[in-house]
Amino acid sequence: MNSEWQMEVPADLAGGVYANFLSVWHTEHEFTLDFATLVPEEGAALGISRIRVAPTVVFEMMQKINRDLAIYEESYGAIRRPSESEGDT
């Protein structure tokens, strides 16, 4: 992903949406990422966004996310899943 591009986010999207679930599937030419919010009391996930990208973009996304995770952990410490306790390894 080219960092030279200036991204503008429309005002109606600036607040973003919350997602805590991701489903990923693919065809020969694209990956589809379905973002959702889990609704445990209904035993369901409410889809909030579907993004389709080329495989080359997925590779770049993974690299960027890995870099940003490392920066995040340097600043805030290791990321732990809610089910992990202090004694887990």
Side-chain angles (χ1 to χ4, degrees), residues 28-49:
E28 181 180 356
H29 303 288
E30 67 186 14
F31 276 74
T32 301
L33 294 81
D34 288 328
F35 291 88
T37 300
L38 295 177
V39 185
E41 57 274 4
E42 296 180 18
L46 176 62
I48 56 169
S49 183

Side-chain angles (χ1 to χ4, degrees), residues 1-81:
M1 291 178 208
N2 190 335
S3 61
E4 296 175 22
W5 291 93
Q6 294 294 318
M7 181 184 300
E8 293 184 28
V9 178
D12 61 325
L13 299 178
V17 293
Y18 178 77
N20 60 2
F21 183 83
L22 172 65
S23 175
V24 179
W25 51 283
H26 63 88
T27 66
E28 181 180 356
H29 303 288
E30 67 186 14
F31 276 74
T32 301
L33 294 81
D34 288 328
F35 291 88
T37 300
L38 295 177
V39 185
E41 57 274 4
E42 296 180 18
L46 176 62
I48 56 169
S49 183
R50 173 171 282 174
I51 309 295
R52 291 189 175 110
V53 295
T56 54
V57 174
V58 173
F59 183 74
E60 292 173 355
M61 287 170 54
M62 291 174 57
Q63 289 181 317
K64 175 66 174 151
I65 289 170
N66 280 331
R67 283 192 302 267
D68 279 27
L69 276 172
I71 293 167
Y72 178 94
E73 288 187 320
E74 286 176 14
S75 298
Y76 304 106
I79 298 171
R80 292 187 172 272
R81 296 184 57 88

